[in-house]
Short mmCIF file of all heavy atoms in Angstrom, two decimals:
data_model
loop_
_atom_site.label_atom_id
_atom_site.label_comp_id
_atom_site.label_asym_id
_atom_site.label_seq_id
_atom_site.Cartn_x
_atom_site.Cartn_y
_atom_site.Cartn_z
N LEU A 119 -12.92 2.28 -10.82
CA LEU A 119 -12.59 1.24 -9.81
C LEU A 119 -11.71 0.13 -10.41
O LEU A 119 -10.80 -0.39 -9.80
CB LEU A 119 -13.83 0.61 -9.34
CG LEU A 119 -14.69 1.53 -8.45
CD1 LEU A 119 -15.97 0.89 -8.02
CD2 LEU A 119 -13.96 1.99 -7.22
N LEU A 120 -11.95 -0.19 -11.68
CA LEU A 120 -11.13 -1.14 -12.37
C LEU A 120 -9.71 -0.70 -12.55
O LEU A 120 -8.73 -1.47 -12.24
CB LEU A 120 -11.75 -1.40 -13.81
CG LEU A 120 -10.99 -2.40 -14.73
CD1 LEU A 120 -11.01 -3.80 -14.04
CD2 LEU A 120 -11.68 -2.46 -16.07
N LEU A 121 -9.48 0.57 -12.95
CA LEU A 121 -8.16 1.11 -13.05
C LEU A 121 -7.51 1.12 -11.63
O LEU A 121 -6.28 0.78 -11.51
CB LEU A 121 -8.19 2.52 -13.67
CG LEU A 121 -8.50 2.54 -15.09
CD1 LEU A 121 -8.66 3.99 -15.58
CD2 LEU A 121 -7.41 1.88 -15.91
N MET A 122 -8.18 1.61 -10.68
CA MET A 122 -7.58 1.60 -9.33
C MET A 122 -7.24 0.27 -8.81
O MET A 122 -6.21 0.04 -8.14
CB MET A 122 -8.53 2.34 -8.30
CG MET A 122 -8.82 3.77 -8.65
SD MET A 122 -7.27 4.78 -8.79
CE MET A 122 -6.81 4.86 -7.10
N ALA A 123 -8.07 -0.77 -9.08
CA ALA A 123 -7.77 -2.09 -8.68
C ALA A 123 -6.48 -2.62 -9.38
O ALA A 123 -5.64 -3.26 -8.80
CB ALA A 123 -8.95 -3.02 -9.00
N MET A 124 -6.31 -2.27 -10.63
CA MET A 124 -5.09 -2.71 -11.34
C MET A 124 -3.93 -1.95 -10.79
O MET A 124 -2.84 -2.56 -10.61
CB MET A 124 -5.27 -2.39 -12.88
CG MET A 124 -6.23 -3.26 -13.57
SD MET A 124 -6.52 -2.78 -15.27
CE MET A 124 -4.91 -3.16 -15.95
N ILE A 125 -4.03 -0.66 -10.52
CA ILE A 125 -2.89 0.08 -10.00
C ILE A 125 -2.40 -0.43 -8.60
O ILE A 125 -1.28 -0.76 -8.39
CB ILE A 125 -3.21 1.57 -9.96
CG1 ILE A 125 -3.30 2.12 -11.35
CG2 ILE A 125 -2.18 2.35 -9.10
CD1 ILE A 125 -3.96 3.51 -11.43
N PHE A 126 -3.49 -0.57 -7.66
CA PHE A 126 -3.15 -1.00 -6.34
C PHE A 126 -2.67 -2.42 -6.32
O PHE A 126 -1.79 -2.80 -5.56
CB PHE A 126 -4.35 -0.78 -5.35
CG PHE A 126 -4.55 0.63 -5.01
CD1 PHE A 126 -5.73 1.25 -5.23
CD2 PHE A 126 -3.49 1.35 -4.38
CE1 PHE A 126 -5.94 2.57 -4.87
CE2 PHE A 126 -3.68 2.69 -4.07
CZ PHE A 126 -4.93 3.33 -4.32
N GLY A 127 -3.16 -3.26 -7.18
CA GLY A 127 -2.75 -4.66 -7.32
C GLY A 127 -1.29 -4.73 -7.75
O GLY A 127 -0.50 -5.49 -7.17
N LYS A 128 -0.93 -3.85 -8.66
CA LYS A 128 0.46 -3.84 -9.16
C LYS A 128 1.42 -3.37 -8.02
O LYS A 128 2.51 -3.93 -7.77
CB LYS A 128 0.59 -2.90 -10.34
CG LYS A 128 1.97 -2.90 -10.94
CD LYS A 128 2.38 -4.21 -11.58
CE LYS A 128 3.72 -4.03 -12.28
NZ LYS A 128 4.22 -5.35 -12.59
N VAL A 129 0.98 -2.35 -7.33
CA VAL A 129 1.79 -1.68 -6.24
C VAL A 129 1.99 -2.70 -5.12
O VAL A 129 3.11 -3.03 -4.66
CB VAL A 129 1.22 -0.44 -5.70
CG1 VAL A 129 1.87 0.02 -4.44
CG2 VAL A 129 1.34 0.65 -6.78
N PHE A 130 0.87 -3.25 -4.64
CA PHE A 130 0.93 -4.20 -3.52
C PHE A 130 1.68 -5.51 -3.90
O PHE A 130 2.44 -6.03 -3.11
CB PHE A 130 -0.46 -4.48 -3.01
CG PHE A 130 -1.10 -3.39 -2.25
CD1 PHE A 130 -2.44 -3.09 -2.50
CD2 PHE A 130 -0.35 -2.64 -1.42
CE1 PHE A 130 -2.97 -2.00 -1.84
CE2 PHE A 130 -0.94 -1.49 -0.76
CZ PHE A 130 -2.30 -1.24 -1.00
N GLY A 131 1.44 -5.94 -5.11
CA GLY A 131 2.13 -7.15 -5.60
C GLY A 131 3.68 -6.91 -5.63
O GLY A 131 4.47 -7.76 -5.32
#
Side-chain angles (χ1 to χ4, degrees):
L119 293 175
L120 179 63
L121 287 172
M122 295 305 288
M124 291 175 66
I125 291 167
F126 285 123
K128 182 68 174 167
V129 168
F130 291 135

